[in-house]
Amino acid sequence: VGRVGRVVRPPLPPYWNTAGKGRVIDVTPVREDPEEEDAWVDDRIHPVVAELEAALVSDSLRPLCIALSKASGMIAPPEDSPDRIYKPIVDSTLAVRIFLRFVELRHGSHDDLKPADWRGKCGAGMKVLLNKCQQYQREVAKELSTRVDDVIRMIRAFYDQPKLLKRHSTLFKAILIPSAEAILARRSEPLPRLFSFLEAYGDVQLIFLHQAARFDFLQFRKDELEPASFLELVDGYVRKAREGSLAIILESHVKEIARTVALMEMAQTPANRAYWLATSYWASRPRNKKDEVFLESKLLRAGADLDPGEILELAKACVGEGTLDNDFLKLILRYLSIAFHSASPSRSAEVFRDIILSFDIEYPQIFITALANCAEDFTRSAELAILEKVLGAWARRAFSYEYMIRNVAIGFVERDIPRNAEAGFAARCGAHLSVLGAREEVLERFLVKILERPMAPSRFDLRQNLELLAKLWVPSNSAPPPLIEAGGIFQLIGPSEVPLREVDSAADLLTLRLANQVPGALRSEMEGAIHTWRQAIGSTALEDQVALNVVVAPIVLRAAQHGIVDEVDPSAGDVARSVVLLADAFRGGSLGVHEAERALTPLAAERAHIVEEDDETVEAAAMITPAAPPAAQALVTAEVDQAAAVVAQACSRDGAPREVLEIACRNWMTEGGAANGLPINVVRAAFEVWEDKGLRGAGLTALREASAWLHGHINAPEALIPTAGSVEAWLRDLRVVSSTLDGDPPTPQDLDRLRLGAMANPSRSMLTVFSDAVAYAWSSAMPGLSPRAANANFDLWWRGVIDAREMVQGATEDIIADLRWQNQLRVDATWAGNMPISGYTPAWRVFDTKKSRKIPWFVPKSVVDEADANANSGSRQSFRNFDEFLEFSGVKKTGGRCMYCGSPDSLESMPVWPLELGGSIQESNCGVQCPLCKEMHEKLGSKRWGEVLRADPKQASEVWWAAQQRANMQFTTAMAMNQSKAVESSGPKKEKKWASREGLKEDASPKASQDE
């Protein structure tokens, strides 16, 4: 718009052709002279740009700021120029140059500006510079990404301009954040001053702290930090994060910083250490936990008190959260190590003894490693008596964390050689470690150290040797180890050496304690025999060595036979107890199964042990080995036979079969005399005698007597499912066999355990007798199951052709088919093939003496009276109905009729194979019955009801037609009586009156039986 107000049209561009009528764009390129163009450019340098260029080469900041205050405008193109675009005075390249020069001069020796100057043109120039840098943010940030020193100068240049920093925060973040790691890696700027400069940059300071914590710069440059001021800085951000005034991403940065700071080893008071422990826990937990305050208070208390038990429980609880990271675990585990080192030995032992690591939680490796290191340090420094209690508690609980066991074993083996009483504690520690699964090469080093000589060939493995050695040093108020174990200890130690070793002194004391268990007249003889036997071990090969009980057995039997037991204390050891019990047996006393085992224990052979050698299993020699001298074998055999006969005679006075006990005692002693092994041998011997003496004669009697005698001495609850191979499992198998032979039906589960246990390899005759017994027992318990069908199904199952489910299903189908066939036979015998009305069997008939009662149509009056008598005597059988949802399946299988009598009346579902015998609630085991048959079944019992169902079909015919004859006679008599009463009555109406219902009900029923 001109001054006079008219519109001035701007000149058209050269490519706009107006020569024609229409306005057509001229696309002909215009080529200008290059010399003229260059001359034009040179003439068009803006004076402000020229002033800026001059200020850039000066050593003063003031000219630069004044020139910048004029550089906010745009450069207009000349009128004859085809370019109509306005260009800024400061482009991106010039802006980067000015910015780098500004931060170089600012706060330097050439900074000639005063605070008052920033309120004038100089302040305006700095604002223009920041606006231009904001405009060219990408170019500025890219250029400064490789200029770390210039970025550090920029931090110092603007730290005192908070308003401008806040206004241009995006610019400074774009420059500082990518360079944070490189800046922190430079030691040219100390961390405290850097963090102080960054305080004005807002969130950038927090981001720098996060980068320093993330890349371990705080740990590497920890010497530059002042703990008090640095912790105060971090705590400020922690408080903001806990108040919720930070964004989520910044809150996560604060948590990582807090975890790192808590791990840094800086000088702190106990209160500060506890505070940062709790803060680290907060930083490791997820948000919005209700118990956060409670657990943090416990962490505060634990960090201040440093109790190892409380810190350990807190560490376990924190690990159980499942969301904590390794930083917090490192912190709390470091405090745990400090707590264990500062706690008393008794307190540390108490914590380790009671430690329980849940198998439901997968503990991180860092936790297990730290705990294992603490345990190793405790093992090296603790007294052996305290250490033995801790390891004993672990062994009893089957503590199974290999890292801890490995470290404890290493620390234990590296201790000095124990002496005197300490040797006993050390041996027991080694035994506990072997139970816990410590490595064999480590424990072998300990064994060699305590024996003070290389390992000799042994028939025991390393773990058994350690367990035996632990029993060498027993307290004086405790009984010495059993004779079998004492022999193993002497063989491990070997003959006495000169000078005496620590183990030699303990072995001499053990010899004296063993000899003191026999009467005084024989003590010196027994002590000399043991000493001579022990010295002979060193000169005898392992396979030719005679066991210790070969030497002791004659002395024990001689003492018991002569009855010299007045001065023998049965609690002194197994030898003394054996002498007393055998003496009682010689005098005519009775023994139970446990007393018999105790009496024979010192005379039992040394048990065979399995030793692993180069991946091959080798069975070590037993006491009575083929390589033993013939005289020793004969002596042992004679002593074993004599002791077995005496003990069997004593047990027979208590009700046990003598022949069974004699075989069992002999086998148990020659097989090694395992603890609680005599009852198992009694079961085996009972089966052996049962087959040898007659499966249905004297052998069966011996089997029953053995079962009754064992169950009288051993309490094995029937509801408890025993472990396979245990004494209770063998007793249950014996009970199942004997009860089955007596007619009690077994369950498939009992038979399955029996097939895998006591009758794993039965003879053909034994299996035949037992199969018949099972078949008759099942046929008595399930009406309709014939012994032949039961035997066939059992035989297929025993041979593994079918499983238990198929056996039960096959028996169920046989029962339903047999009952249907029996019912058909009764119908044929009653109507000779001519079915009654509608072709169905009767549903019921009226009882003979009580006309209002209904009973099954084929059941005679005598059976009903028997059922009523059984019901009145309280012998009702318990019965369980099936689920209603399975009733349709039973109706479908039986044709919609009772499977006992064929009645369609009020059918109820029932299990064909009883649930008490292992039947299942499935369609394959579902049948139906009417209420009348159910009543007979419950009152008579399964066995008697089955006999009624298998009765001669002619009996059903006689019962039915006799009932029909009585009903017809009663009906005829009732009709005649009514006719006579009608004739005698007066009046025509009275002659036609029929007998009243009350009179008819008193005399006879209008219909004695009804069809369906």
Side-chain angles (χ1 to χ4, degrees):
V1 180
R3 295 181 180 179
V4 295
R6 65 185 182 87
V7 177
V8 179
R9 185 182 300 274
L12 295 174
Y15 52 81
W16 194 269
N17 185 7
T18 58
K21 297 182 180 179
R23 295 181 179 179
V24 181
I25 297 176
D26 185 6
V27 297
T28 302
V30 179
R31 299 184 182 273
E32 299 180 356
D33 188 3
E35 296 181 359
E36 295 180 0
E37 182 179 359
D38 294 340
W40 177 83
V41 171
D42 292 337
D43 295 340
R44 293 299 179 177
I45 297 178
H46 199 280
V48 177
V49 176
E51 186 178 354
L52 286 172
E53 291 290 347
L56 284 174
V57 297
S58 68
D59 291 335
S60 177
L61 186 61
R62 183 183 299 275
L64 182 62
C65 292
I66 294 174
L68 280 172
S69 64
K70 307 173 185 177
S72 61
M74 305 288 287
I75 301 177
E79 294 183 358
D80 57 347
S81 174
D83 189 1
R84 309 298 297 173
I85 300 176
Y86 284 76
K87 297 180 180 180
I89 298 176
V90 179
D91 58 2
S92 60
T93 304
L94 184 58
V96 171
R97 292 173 57 203
I98 297 173
F99 187 79
L100 292 175
R101 183 60 175 169
F102 180 87
V103 299
E104 181 181 0
L105 298 176
R106 177 75 170 129
H107 290 306
S109 59
H110 300 287
D111 186 359
D112 52 354
L113 296 178
K114 299 178 181 180
D117 295 335
W118 294 109
R119 294 192 291 270
K121 291 184 178 182
C122 293
M126 186 168 58
K127 293 179 183 178
V128 170
L129 174 63
L130 292 178
N131 290 333
K132 293 297 180 179
C133 291
Q134 184 86 36
Q135 181 180 355
Y136 306 117
Q137 176 177 316
R138 181 179 300 178
E139 291 80 358
V140 174
K142 181 178 179 181
E143 183 65 26
L144 267 68
S145 61
T146 57
R147 297 173 175 266
V148 180
D149 294 334
D150 291 327
V151 176
I152 295 176
R153 296 190 191 100
M154 183 200 71
I155 296 174
R156 293 196 298 263
F158 294 99
Y159 80 93
D160 57 350
Q161 302 293 329
K163 293 183 179 180
L164 292 178
L165 292 176
K166 184 177 181 181
R167 180 178 179 182
H168 301 280
S169 60
T170 56
L171 170 65
F172 290 105
K173 287 182 180 180
I175 298 173
L176 290 173
I177 293 177
S179 305
E181 185 178 355
I183 294 173
L184 291 169
R186 297 282 184 97
R187 285 185 173 266
S188 57
E189 189 72 28
L191 284 183
R193 190 167 66 175
L194 176 63
F195 291 144
S196 177
F197 284 149
L198 290 172
E199 183 178 359
Y201 289 80
D203 297 341
V204 176
Q205 184 188 42
L206 177 58
I207 294 173
F208 266 69
L209 281 171
H210 174 253
Q211 295 290 331
R214 181 181 179 185
F215 296 106
D216 293 334
F217 290 116
L218 292 179
Q219 189 68 30
F220 296 153
R221 303 178 64 178
K222 182 178 60 176
D223 54 330
E224 302 177 10
L225 299 174
E226 184 183 354
S229 59
F230 176 70
L231 293 178
E232 182 180 359
L233 171 64
V234 177
D235 186 49
Y237 283 110
V238 170
R239 295 181 186 278
K240 291 180 181 180
R242 303 190 73 166
E243 292 171 359
S245 58
L246 295 179
I248 295 178
I249 184 65
L250 296 180
E251 182 179 341
S252 65
H253 290 349
V254 172
K255 289 184 176 181
E256 187 169 354
I257 296 169
R259 292 193 297 266
T260 304
V261 168
L263 283 171
M264 295 172 62
E265 297 181 359
M266 293 188 293
Q268 301 181 59
T269 62
N272 284 340
R273 184 173 58 248
Y275 171 78
W276 284 106
L277 177 63
T279 302
S280 180
Y281 176 76
W282 161 81
S284 302
R285 284 175 55 84
R287 304 178 69 183
N288 301 326
K289 289 289 186 179
K290 296 181 180 179
D291 56 345
E292 182 176 325
V293 177
F294 172 71
L295 287 178
E296 284 189 34
S297 64
K298 293 189 68 177
L299 284 166
L300 285 169
R301 185 171 65 255
D305 296 342
L306 288 180
D307 179 71
E310 188 169 0
I311 293 184
L312 178 59
E313 291 301 319
L314 289 172
K316 289 162 54 179
C318 295
V319 171
E321 292 288 332
T323 55
L324 306 184
D325 58 9
N326 288 341
D327 290 342
F328 175 71
L329 286 179
K330 290 178 183 178
L331 172 68
I332 197 169
L333 292 174
R334 191 186 70 195
Y335 289 154
L336 180 64
S337 177
I338 297 173
F340 272 117
H341 281 89
S342 61
S344 62
S346 58
R347 177 55 183 160
S348 299
E350 182 181 355
V351 173
F352 279 118
R353 184 190 61 202
D354 299 334
I355 184 173
I356 297 177
L357 300 181
S358 175
F359 291 99
D360 298 333
I361 300 175
E362 184 177 356
Y363 293 96
Q365 187 61 41
I366 184 176
F367 176 82
I368 298 297
T369 303
L371 198 58
N373 293 335
C374 294
E376 182 179 354
D377 295 339
F378 169 76
T379 304
R380 295 177 186 273
S381 60
E383 298 180 3
L384 286 174
I386 297 177
L387 181 61
E388 192 268 333
K389 293 180 180 179
V390 173
L391 296 179
W394 287 5
R396 287 189 295 272
R397 292 204 320 266
F399 191 78
S400 58
Y401 276 90
E402 61 173 315
Y403 279 94
M404 292 190 64
I405 304 302
R406 181 193 62 186
N407 288 26
V408 168
I410 293 174
F412 171 72
V413 171
E414 293 178 355
R415 295 175 64 113
D416 296 334
I417 300 176
R419 297 294 180 184
N420 301 327
E422 292 290 322
F425 293 116
R428 285 188 286 275
C429 288
H432 295 326
L433 286 173
S434 67
V435 173
L436 291 169
R439 291 185 299 177
E440 290 190 359
E441 57 270 19
V442 177
L443 296 179
E444 189 172 352
R445 289 166 49 195
F446 162 73
L447 193 58
V448 171
K449 180 185 292 188
I450 199 170
L451 290 177
E452 301 181 40
R453 67 174 178 84
M455 283 283 298
S458 175
R459 64 187 64 187
F460 304 101
D461 60 14
L462 179 62
R463 175 177 174 179
Q464 292 164 342
N465 283 329
L466 287 169
E467 292 176 353
L468 288 174
L469 190 63
K471 297 180 180 180
L472 177 59
W473 291 275
V474 294
S476 57
N477 56 353
S478 301
L483 190 63
I484 296 177
E485 295 180 352
I489 294 172
F490 290 140
Q491 290 175 344
L492 174 64
I493 296 173
S496 299
E497 297 181 3
V498 179
L500 287 179
R501 300 168 295 168
E502 194 71 31
V503 291
D504 291 333
S505 302
D508 293 339
L509 181 59
L510 177 60
T511 301
L512 181 61
R513 297 188 66 181
L514 290 175
N516 289 336
Q517 297 184 47
V518 297
L522 301 173
R523 287 177 182 173
S524 59
E525 179 183 354
M526 186 170 178
E527 184 177 359
I530 295 176
H531 182 73
T532 303
W533 171 83
R534 182 185 168 197
Q535 292 303 119
I537 292 176
S539 59
T540 308
L542 178 63
E543 60 273 9
D544 296 332
Q545 292 178 6
V546 178
L548 178 60
N549 63 340
V550 174
V551 179
V552 174
I555 302 175
V556 172
L557 284 177
R558 191 162 65 250
Q561 195 169 7
H562 295 311
I564 315 173
V565 294
D566 295 337
E567 55 187 63
V568 176
D569 183 11
S571 62
D574 66 324
V575 176
R577 185 173 58 238
S578 175
V579 170
V580 173
L581 292 174
L582 286 174
D584 187 31
F586 275 115
R587 290 196 298 263
S590 61
L591 296 177
V593 64
H594 297 298
E595 289 81 4
E597 184 173 317
R598 296 189 187 101
L600 299 175
T601 296
L603 309 179
E606 189 173 279
R607 289 187 290 277
H609 297 275
I610 304 299
V611 183
E612 297 288 337
E613 293 183 359
D614 298 332
D615 297 333
E616 295 181 0
T617 19
V618 182
E619 186 173 0
M623 183 198 76
I624 309 175
T625 60
Q633 292 187 30
L635 174 63
V636 172
T637 303
E639 304 298 341
V640 166
D641 290 341
Q642 182 182 6
V646 171
V647 171
Q649 181 66 29
C651 292
S652 65
R653 301 186 188 104
D654 192 41
R658 179 177 179 179
E659 186 174 2
V660 172
L661 261 295
E662 191 168 349
I663 297 174
C665 292
R666 186 183 301 109
N667 293 340
W668 178 73
M669 285 190 290
T670 55
E671 289 174 1
N676 294 324
L678 184 58
I680 297 176
N681 280 271
V682 172
V683 176
R684 292 174 177 170
F687 281 107
E688 182 180 345
V689 172
W690 177 37
E691 186 174 6
D692 293 343
K693 297 298 181 181
L695 295 170
R696 291 185 173 87
L700 180 59
T701 303
L703 182 71
R704 290 169 174 165
E705 290 177 356
S707 177
W709 181 69
L710 285 176
H711 285 93
H713 289 277
I714 300 177
N715 182 21
E718 296 186 7
L720 178 66
I721 299 178
T723 306
S726 62
V727 176
E728 291 78 11
W730 282 88
L731 291 182
R732 168 167 281 193
D733 292 346
L734 181 60
R735 183 193 298 116
V736 170
V737 173
S738 59
S739 62
T740 302
L741 294 173
D742 292 337
D744 294 336
T747 65
Q749 292 78 8
D750 290 338
L751 293 177
D752 189 43
R753 286 190 287 266
L754 180 64
R755 183 176 59 175
L756 300 175
M759 292 188 65
N761 298 304
S763 62
R764 179 174 299 182
S765 57
M766 182 187 296
L767 183 59
T768 301
V769 172
F770 185 69
S771 177
D772 293 342
V774 171
Y776 280 103
W778 280 352
S779 63
S780 300
M782 286 170 272
L785 180 63
S786 64
R788 178 177 297 179
N791 201 334
N793 284 284
F794 173 79
D795 182 65
L796 291 174
W797 170 79
W798 187 273
R799 290 189 288 111
V801 179
I802 59 175
D803 57 15
R805 183 185 61 82
E806 293 172 335
M807 178 183 67
V808 172
Q809 184 176 355
T812 301
E813 295 173 354
D814 292 340
I815 290 173
I816 294 176
D818 187 76
L819 290 174
R820 184 184 296 113
W821 174 249
Q822 291 291 340
N823 203 28
Q824 184 63 37
L825 292 178
R826 286 192 290 268
V827 170
D828 292 342
T830 304
W831 287 278
N834 298 322
M835 295 295 291
I837 302 173
S838 302
Y840 295 121
T841 58
W844 44 267
R845 72 176 181 85
V846 176
F847 190 40
D848 299 344
T849 58
K850 189 175 182 181
K851 302 301 184 294
S852 60
R853 181 181 181 185
K854 300 176 182 179
I855 61 175
W857 65 275
F858 59 88
V859 177
K861 177 179 180 300
S862 59
V863 175
V864 178
D865 294 337
E866 179 184 353
D868 293 340
N870 290 339
N872 294 333
S873 63
S875 61
R876 181 184 295 271
Q877 177 185 357
S878 62
F879 203 81
R880 298 170 63 182
N881 284 333
F882 248 179
D883 197 296
E884 296 180 357
F885 293 104
L886 299 178
E887 184 175 349
F888 175 76
S889 176
V891 171
K892 183 179 179 181
K893 287 194 297 183
T894 59
R897 310 186 72 80
C898 173
M899 63 182 192
Y900 295 130
C901 67
S903 170
D905 224 11
S906 304
L907 299 179
E908 299 179 6
S909 60
M910 61 162 291
V912 180
W913 188 289
L915 302 181
E916 293 79 7
L917 297 182
S920 59
I921 305 180
Q922 295 179 353
E923 294 183 6
S924 59
N925 192 32
C926 184
V928 290
Q929 63 181 349
C930 66
L932 304 180
C933 293
K934 176 183 177 181
E935 181 184 5
M936 291 292 106
H937 189 180
E938 291 179 348
K939 291 181 177 181
L940 292 173
S942 297
K943 182 177 181 180
R944 180 66 180 125
W945 178 239
E947 294 174 356
V948 173
L949 294 175
R950 290 193 298 269
D952 190 355
K954 295 180 180 179
Q955 180 181 344
S957 175
E958 296 172 357
V959 170
W960 173 258
W961 291 118
Q964 288 292 335
Q965 185 178 3
R966 287 193 301 272
N968 292 337
M969 292 178 60
Q970 292 173 1
F971 183 75
T972 303
T973 304
M975 291 295 293
M977 292 176 62
N978 286 336
Q979 286 290 347
S980 61
K981 289 180 181 180
V983 172
E984 294 175 359
S985 60
S986 58
K989 292 185 180 180
K990 292 183 179 181
E991 293 178 359
K992 296 181 180 179
K993 184 181 294 183
W994 195 256
S996 64
R997 292 185 179 180
E998 291 76 4
L1000 183 61
K1001 188 175 182 181
E1002 293 175 358
D1003 296 336
S1005 173
K1007 188 174 182 181
S1009 67
Q1010 295 182 9
D1011 296 331
E1012 182 180 35

